[in-house]
Amino acid sequence: MKHTVKKTVVIALSALTLASSASALNVSADADNTVHVIVKNERLSVADGAPWTGTLIDTQATLNADDSIETLVERVIKDNGFEFTVSDYGYISSVNNLAEYAYNGSGGWMTTLNDWFTSEGTIGYTVENGGLKAGDEIVMMYSCSWGADVGSLYGNFDTSLQALSVDGGSLTQAFVPSQKDYTLLIDSAETAVTVVPEAYNKNYQVRMYCNVYLPVSNAQLPYKQAVSVKDGDTLYIGIGNPAWPTMNSWAGTADETVYTLQVKTRPLGDLSGNGSVGIEDATLLQRYLAEYVTFDAAMQARADIDNDGDITINDVTALQRMIAEF
Ligand SMILES: [Ca+2]
Ligand SMILES: [Ca+2]
């Protein structure tokens, strides 16, 4: 019964949140006009009554100018030859014969847009209003507990991240949800990095910005896409700002959480990856010359301290001199 109430609330909220949900979206330079669409059931087993399990669809779908999330997923599902039913209330009620209420009278389909359980129905996010755009990721998933088993926690106000992955650079310390500030090391002065934050409670939006947090301009960084950063930049990752739409606003208010990543070029001679030059790097360089360890191309570039194009004992000497000067 709780689910029915929630649905009604979400419908009522739709008109109110339409404008705000479309306000902070940044159209990426993604040339191909596609959206990543995934349809999956990882929660209800065949033994418990599901007609199928696993990933039904995982595709890049072409976006039409008149699409909403709902029209897009409907087209993708039907084009793949699967059954698709929308209930009288406008909710997706069945996909490939996996219907809502299939698990002991509960269960249903839920949808994330860029890893966020939207605060209004999927029909409310359109190309026209800016709520849906090329490069987005839509995941439709089956839940047995109205979302709690897939990260949609109604009435929970935790705005921390549960994970943060970085490609194209590295954090100087492992991500821990309670630790808010990090250094992000990159190998050259300007590098493309892909930073993917994952909220603990995906009812809250996660937004990422470079250098200015909550700018007036439309500068939110795109989800799961490479962005160019340089030494001195700061990436801000905010979760659950009170001004951003969330279905949880009906249950109470949360305090926003903000993480920062200070971008720093990895210094010449840092072979250990900790962001500074020390005796551990000289030891590693000696071990490399003795062929006890191997370096990748980026490490080899940082090991050529005297910049003569080769890695020799002279670089060990130069590195030891650097350490002594520090
Ligand atoms: Ca080091
Ligand atoms: Ca050298």
Side-chain angles (χ1 to χ4, degrees):
M1 289 311 291
K2 185 183 167 196
H3 187 52
T4 308
V5 171
K6 185 168 145 186
K7 279 179 174 177
T8 309
V9 166
V10 169
I11 291 166
L13 187 63
S14 299
L16 296 173
T17 56
L18 206 58
S20 57
S21 66
S23 63
L25 294 155
N26 181 45
V27 177
S28 76
D30 196 348
D32 72 2
N33 187 36
T34 64
V35 169
H36 191 193
V37 176
I38 297 167
V39 180
K40 64 184 183 179
N41 165 33
E42 295 174 341
R43 303 307 309 170
L44 185 61
S45 67
V46 170
D48 282 334
W52 57 273
T53 62
T55 301
L56 188 69
I57 289 170
D58 183 343
T59 189
Q60 290 295 133
T62 301
L63 199 57
N64 293 343
D66 58 352
D67 267 331
S68 66
I69 292 177
E70 182 164 316
T71 62
L72 179 63
V73 296
E74 176 172 2
R75 187 168 67 249
V76 169
I77 290 168
K78 288 181 173 174
D79 283 355
N80 278 275
F82 300 119
E83 176 267 350
F84 178 90
T85 305
V86 176
S87 75
D88 294 343
Y89 301 102
Y91 279 80
I92 295 161
S93 59
S94 177
V95 176
N96 195 26
N97 304 311
L98 176 50
E100 58 184 343
Y101 310 119
Y103 178 65
N104 293 334
S106 69
W109 286 99
M110 296 190 67
T111 304
T112 53
L113 171 62
N114 298 333
D115 211 31
W116 170 59
F117 286 99
T118 55
S119 61
E120 56 184 287
T122 50
I123 205 81
Y125 299 84
T126 68
V127 174
E128 191 177 5
N129 70 19
L132 177 64
K133 64 188 185 310
D136 282 346
E137 180 186 89
I138 296 169
V139 181
M140 260 190 71
M141 68 205 87
Y142 198 82
S143 166
C144 292
S145 57
W146 312 130
D149 55 346
V150 288
S152 172
L153 306 170
Y154 192 70
N156 168 292
F157 306 112
D158 187 336
T159 59
S160 64
L161 294 178
Q162 61 173 310
L164 180 68
S165 75
V166 177
D167 192 38
S170 59
L171 302 180
T172 53
Q173 62 178 106
F175 176 77
V176 179
S178 60
Q179 169 71 33
K180 303 302 191 307
D181 302 313
Y182 295 87
T183 298
L184 168 58
L185 294 173
I186 55 176
D187 281 335
S188 54
E190 187 159 5
T191 304
V193 297
T194 306
V195 177
V196 182
E198 184 179 355
Y200 169 73
N201 183 353
K202 298 179 183 188
N203 285 0
Y204 290 112
Q205 278 193 347
V206 179
R207 298 186 186 185
M208 187 158 64
Y209 300 92
C210 187
N211 291 335
V212 181
Y213 187 59
L214 295 181
V216 176
S217 64
N218 194 1
Q220 189 183 338
L221 298 177
Y223 177 68
K224 268 192 187 175
Q225 291 174 38
V227 293
S228 184
V229 294
K230 59 185 186 305
D231 188 279
D233 282 347
T234 302
L235 294 179
Y236 294 92
I237 302 168
I239 308 100
N241 182 286
W244 302 342
T246 168
M247 66 173 92
N248 276 21
S249 60
W250 288 90
T253 53
D255 291 327
E256 174 188 42
T257 302
V258 180
Y259 295 83
T260 66
L261 276 56
Q262 305 280 348
V263 180
K264 188 178 160 191
T265 304
R266 196 187 299 275
L268 185 69
D270 176 26
L271 303 167
S272 69
N274 67 347
S276 59
V277 177
I279 192 68
E280 77 282 1
D281 301 310
T283 303
L284 265 172
L285 186 48
Q286 285 168 328
R287 289 175 59 81
Y288 173 80
L289 290 170
E291 298 184 355
Y292 288 128
V293 294
T294 57
F295 288 173
D296 63 22
M299 289 174 78
Q300 288 177 15
R302 285 198 305 281
D304 182 15
I305 311 296
D306 62 9
N307 197 29
D308 69 346
D310 207 358
I311 301 172
T312 66
I313 191 69
N314 292 339
D315 296 307
V316 177
T317 307
L319 183 55
Q320 285 169 335
R321 194 175 301 132
M322 278 172 68
I323 295 163
E325 284 168 6
F326 282 134

